[in-house]
Amino acid sequence: QVQLVESWGGLVQAGGSLRLSCATSGRLVTSAAMGWFRQAPGKEREFVAAITWSGGITYYADSVKGRCTISPDKAKNTVYLQMNILKPEDTAVYYCASHPHLMTAVRGAYHYWGRGTQVTVSS
């Protein structure tokens, strides 16, 4: 059983930066993978980034590659999503997710989800 809690998002101007965090509780095995997804109004939930908990291998969606960095803090059982050069189209509810041992962009594969946090980028 894993519980995920995202930090508060926020309002940021286009071109600015924001860091989201996802704190985990319960048992998170060393083989786990963590992912970030986002969902804009009227749109499907889409993949943003993922990382293996033990090895630090990362994977990014083309829409954010070069602008976002996913990283772990194992001492705090927390994963971060650093977002730079934000655009209005980045506006969405951002969700943290985990899988026991697979790093994937397929949202249906993830077993645990946070409740989401709102990120708004103004133009």
Side-chain angles (χ1 to χ4, degrees):
Q1 182 69 38
V2 176
Q3 186 174 6
L4 308 175
V5 180
E6 299 95 341
S7 63
W8 290 109
L11 174 64
V12 62
Q13 293 184 345
S17 299
L18 188 67
R19 189 180 74 167
L20 302 178
S21 65
C22 174
T24 68
S25 62
R27 187 175 182 181
L28 184 64
V29 298
T30 57
S31 61
M34 304 294 298
W36 284 97
F37 290 75
R38 66 186 183 185
Q39 187 168 19
K43 302 291 183 65
E44 294 184 350
R45 191 172 301 183
E46 65 176 1
F47 171 77
V48 177
I51 186 171
T52 58
W53 190 246
S54 60
I57 301 172
T58 59
Y59 178 56
Y60 298 94
D62 289 340
S63 60
V64 302
K65 194 172 185 178
R67 300 190 296 119
C68 293
T69 302
I70 185 171
S71 61
D73 186 336
K74 295 180 180 180
K76 297 181 179 180
N77 290 324
T78 298
V79 64
Y80 299 98
L81 181 67
Q82 176 69 45
M83 301 184 290
N84 303 315
I85 319 176
L86 286 163
K87 306 174 181 179
E89 49 264 44
D90 293 320
T91 296
V93 176
Y94 283 70
Y95 297 88
C96 180
S98 70
H99 191 284
H101 45 252
L102 294 177
M103 184 174 71
T104 177
V106 180
R107 64 177 181 177
Y110 285 83
H111 292 189
Y112 304 100
W113 293 85
R115 294 181 178 180
T117 186
Q118 177 70 47
V119 173
T120 302
V121 183
S122 62
S123 60

